[in-house]
Amino acid sequence: MTEELPGLDLDRLRTYLDREVPGMIAGPLSGEVITGGKSNLTYTVTDGSGHWVVRRPPLGHVLATAHDMSREYRVMTGLRDTAVPVPRTYLLCEDTEVLGAPFYVMEHVEGLPLRTEAEIAPYGTEGTREIAQSLITTLGDLHAVDPASVGLGDFGRPEGFLERQVRRWRKQLDASRSRDIPGIDELHERLERTRPEQGAPAIVHGDYRLDNVLVTGKGRLTAVLDWEMATLGDPLVDLGLMLVYKENSVTGGPSPATSAEGFPSASELVETYAAATGRDVSRLNWYVAFGCFKLAVIAEGIHYRHSQGLTVGAGFDTMGEVVPLLVERAHTTLQED
């Protein structure tokens, strides 16, 4: 392990790959951390000719049900031949003796995540609209996949999904709780009390947003990434969280790509999704409020890890500031439901 590649020992990785996939690696490995992620650690690795991506959990404080490498690997493998673009998967290693944590190796796909308004600006107004349309139609494609047909029929328990989700994220909050967060306990209670009857189950991504997909310079969406929270359940949780991410106030920092001219409004995105899927979106405000709660818990976990000195990369020092903003937005949204 080097200071430049925390969590990734290239010599151990090459020894393991030479043993498990002889001939895959042709020379010494070099790599770099892909910046921007706030959860799992992602690296690009090359032997000078081939390129791969390695994913592993973050260093230090890891919640029991988070950062599941086998879950990411299995769902991407299952979706390989569907309309949902995913990287090709090569190898899953659950032996923690190799890198200190489970990890997997996947294809390096062309394209970049678009996080800021400046990054999406070169595509122009029409290109931005087309990217957004691809984003929402791809979400509809995901929710149209029959889980059993791709070997994911037992990937989760759809019955009681929403009830378990509200309970799960409360437990995740308690596991990372290190300070008082006004209104968050009341928010949990409101979400439990107003929970809607859930819709027909589908494969749920769990963190679907523009900067979790790759887009080429020509505006083509080439891969959906970051499947660590994927499961079977009510797909409207994906749509609700995507709308939370669309707002400027969620993550702080530079204006997000979703605020660029040409990017459809929230109502346009919902209309497109409803038309494509036939889903009832009349209770969508609850799902948006739940998305705020979930994202607040995730941000609080990152804030906790950062306070312990266990995060890698930039942008972690302000994550704690967005938590109260998300709680406030959730309460406001529930009042409109």
Side-chain angles (χ1 to χ4, degrees), residues 288-304:
V288 173
F290 172 70
C292 290
F293 178 65
K294 175 178 172 178
L295 188 55
V297 174
I298 293 172
E300 188 64 16
I302 295 169
H303 168 75
Y304 177 87

Side-chain angles (χ1 to χ4, degrees), residues 70-295:
S70 63
R71 178 167 294 273
E72 283 199 340
Y73 186 86
R74 183 182 174 192
V75 71
M76 286 193 294
T77 302
L79 291 171
R80 177 180 297 175
D81 297 319
T82 70
V84 183
V86 290
R88 181 167 295 274
T89 52
Y90 294 121
L91 189 74
L92 170 69
C93 176
E94 298 183 283
D95 180 1
T96 59
E97 294 298 314
V98 180
L99 294 183
F103 69 94
Y104 66 87
V105 181
M106 64 180 173
E107 174 187 18
H108 184 275
V109 179
E110 179 189 6
L112 294 171
L114 300 174
R115 298 187 174 92
T116 69
E117 187 176 7
E119 289 172 342
I120 202 171
Y123 294 91
T125 301
E126 188 57 35
T128 295
R129 176 167 290 276
E130 290 176 0
I131 290 169
Q133 291 295 329
S134 294
L135 183 70
I136 197 70
T137 55
T138 297
L139 184 61
D141 289 339
L142 171 64
H143 294 162
V145 173
D146 174 17
S149 71
V150 294
L152 297 173
D154 61 347
F155 195 59
R157 293 180 295 132
E159 301 79 9
F161 170 77
L162 291 181
E163 179 182 3
R164 289 196 311 277
Q165 280 286 293
V166 174
R167 186 170 62 244
R168 172 196 173 183
W169 288 101
R170 170 57 188 262
K171 289 181 179 178
Q172 300 284 52
L173 172 65
D174 291 341
S176 297
R177 194 187 289 261
S178 61
R179 58 178 181 161
D180 179 54
I181 306 170
I184 200 165
D185 293 317
E186 293 80 4
L187 173 57
H188 168 258
E189 187 275 330
R190 290 183 73 181
L191 289 168
E192 280 196 324
R193 178 165 42 84
T194 61
R195 188 177 63 248
E197 182 177 344
Q198 66 185 49
I203 300 171
V204 173
H205 179 279
D207 196 24
Y208 194 80
R209 51 193 164 108
L210 180 59
D211 58 338
N212 272 343
V213 304
L214 298 182
V215 178
T216 68
K218 295 183 178 180
R220 184 168 63 92
L221 196 159
T222 54
V224 180
L225 306 176
D226 291 356
W227 294 88
E228 64 184 279
M229 290 185 283
T231 187
L232 301 186
D234 188 333
L236 289 186
V237 298
D238 277 342
L239 182 59
L241 185 61
M242 179 181 163
L243 297 180
V244 176
Y245 277 118
K246 186 183 183 306
E247 298 302 313
N248 293 13
S249 60
V250 173
T251 56
S255 296
T258 52
S259 67
E261 184 178 356
F263 204 95
S265 66
S267 60
E268 288 179 285
L269 293 172
V270 172
E271 182 179 343
T272 300
Y273 176 87
T277 65
R279 295 269 177 180
D280 179 5
V281 295
S282 60
R283 290 293 313 278
L284 190 59
N285 279 349
W286 185 93
Y287 294 88
V288 173
F290 172 70
C292 290
F293 178 65
K294 175 178 172 178
L295 188 55

